[in-house]
PDB file of all heavy atoms in Angstrom:
ATOM      1  N   GLU B 201     -20.467   3.593   7.057  1.00 96.00           N
ATOM      2  CA  GLU B 201     -19.826   2.662   7.980  1.00 96.00           C
ATOM      3  C   GLU B 201     -18.607   3.255   8.688  1.00 96.00           C
ATOM      4  O   GLU B 201     -18.013   2.592   9.538  1.00 96.00           O
ATOM      5  CB  GLU B 201     -19.361   1.412   7.211  1.00 96.00           C
ATOM      6  CG  GLU B 201     -20.478   0.639   6.543  1.00 96.00           C
ATOM      7  CD  GLU B 201     -21.374  -0.049   7.538  1.00 96.00           C
ATOM      8  OE1 GLU B 201     -20.866  -0.750   8.425  1.00 96.00           O
ATOM      9  OE2 GLU B 201     -22.612   0.124   7.438  1.00 96.00           O
ATOM     10  N   SER B 202     -18.232   4.466   8.332  1.00 95.00           N
ATOM     11  CA  SER B 202     -16.975   5.009   8.855  1.00 95.00           C
ATOM     12  C   SER B 202     -17.108   5.498  10.287  1.00 95.00           C
ATOM     13  O   SER B 202     -18.133   6.044  10.682  1.00 95.00           O
ATOM     14  CB  SER B 202     -16.499   6.173   7.978  1.00 95.00           C
ATOM     15  OG  SER B 202     -16.015   5.716   6.745  1.00 95.00           O
ATOM     16  N   ASN B 203     -16.045   5.294  11.037  1.00 92.00           N
ATOM     17  CA  ASN B 203     -15.913   5.926  12.356  1.00 92.00           C
ATOM     18  C   ASN B 203     -14.438   6.233  12.581  1.00 92.00           C
ATOM     19  O   ASN B 203     -13.637   6.075  11.654  1.00 92.00           O
ATOM     20  CB  ASN B 203     -16.494   5.035  13.460  1.00 92.00           C
ATOM     21  CG  ASN B 203     -15.836   3.664  13.498  1.00 92.00           C
ATOM     22  OD1 ASN B 203     -14.615   3.554  13.499  1.00 92.00           O
ATOM     23  ND2 ASN B 203     -16.650   2.624  13.517  1.00 92.00           N
ATOM     24  N   GLU B 204     -14.086   6.656  13.777  1.00 89.00           N
ATOM     25  CA  GLU B 204     -12.690   7.044  14.026  1.00 89.00           C
ATOM     26  C   GLU B 204     -11.720   5.885  13.872  1.00 89.00           C
ATOM     27  O   GLU B 204     -10.516   6.096  13.767  1.00 89.00           O
ATOM     28  CB  GLU B 204     -12.490   7.581  15.454  1.00 89.00           C
ATOM     29  CG  GLU B 204     -13.356   8.734  15.842  1.00 89.00           C
ATOM     30  CD  GLU B 204     -14.533   8.259  16.659  1.00 89.00           C
ATOM     31  OE1 GLU B 204     -15.416   7.574  16.089  1.00 89.00           O
ATOM     32  OE2 GLU B 204     -14.568   8.556  17.856  1.00 89.00           O
ATOM     33  N   SER B 205     -12.249   4.663  13.897  1.00 93.00           N
ATOM     34  CA  SER B 205     -11.371   3.498  13.872  1.00 93.00           C
ATOM     35  C   SER B 205     -11.425   2.745  12.550  1.00 93.00           C
ATOM     36  O   SER B 205     -11.112   1.557  12.510  1.00 93.00           O
ATOM     37  CB  SER B 205     -11.761   2.533  15.000  1.00 93.00           C
ATOM     38  OG  SER B 205     -11.720   3.203  16.232  1.00 93.00           O
ATOM     39  N   THR B 206     -11.837   3.420  11.503  1.00 96.00           N
ATOM     40  CA  THR B 206     -11.902   2.739  10.206  1.00 96.00           C
ATOM     41  C   THR B 206     -11.226   3.577   9.130  1.00 96.00           C
ATOM     42  O   THR B 206     -11.086   4.791   9.254  1.00 96.00           O
ATOM     43  CB  THR B 206     -13.357   2.485   9.758  1.00 96.00           C
ATOM     44  OG1 THR B 206     -14.019   3.751   9.619  1.00 96.00           O
ATOM     45  CG2 THR B 206     -14.114   1.611  10.739  1.00 96.00           C
ATOM     46  N   LEU B 207     -10.818   2.884   8.081  1.00 97.00           N
ATOM     47  CA  LEU B 207     -10.283   3.555   6.886  1.00 97.00           C
ATOM     48  C   LEU B 207     -10.665   2.673   5.711  1.00 97.00           C
ATOM     49  O   LEU B 207     -10.088   1.608   5.511  1.00 97.00           O
ATOM     50  CB  LEU B 207      -8.764   3.700   6.988  1.00 97.00           C
ATOM     51  CG  LEU B 207      -8.080   4.399   5.817  1.00 97.00           C
ATOM     52  CD1 LEU B 207      -8.497   5.847   5.716  1.00 97.00           C
ATOM     53  CD2 LEU B 207      -6.560   4.316   5.969  1.00 97.00           C
ATOM     54  N   TYR B 208     -11.638   3.123   4.940  1.00 98.00           N
ATOM     55  CA  TYR B 208     -12.194   2.289   3.867  1.00 98.00           C
ATOM     56  C   TYR B 208     -11.706   2.715   2.489  1.00 98.00           C
ATOM     57  O   TYR B 208     -11.611   3.900   2.167  1.00 98.00           O
ATOM     58  CB  TYR B 208     -13.717   2.407   3.846  1.00 98.00           C
ATOM     59  CG  TYR B 208     -14.439   1.545   4.851  1.00 98.00           C
ATOM     60  CD1 TYR B 208     -14.934   2.081   6.039  1.00 98.00           C
ATOM     61  CD2 TYR B 208     -14.653   0.190   4.597  1.00 98.00           C
ATOM     62  CE1 TYR B 208     -15.609   1.285   6.940  1.00 98.00           C
ATOM     63  CE2 TYR B 208     -15.333  -0.612   5.500  1.00 98.00           C
ATOM     64  CZ  TYR B 208     -15.815  -0.051   6.674  1.00 98.00           C
ATOM     65  OH  TYR B 208     -16.489  -0.835   7.568  1.00 98.00           O
TER      66      TYR B 208
END
Side-chain angles (χ1 to χ4, degrees):
Chain B
E201 299 291 310
S202 288
N203 57 49
E204 304 99 291
S205 304
T206 61
L207 181 65
Y208 279 101

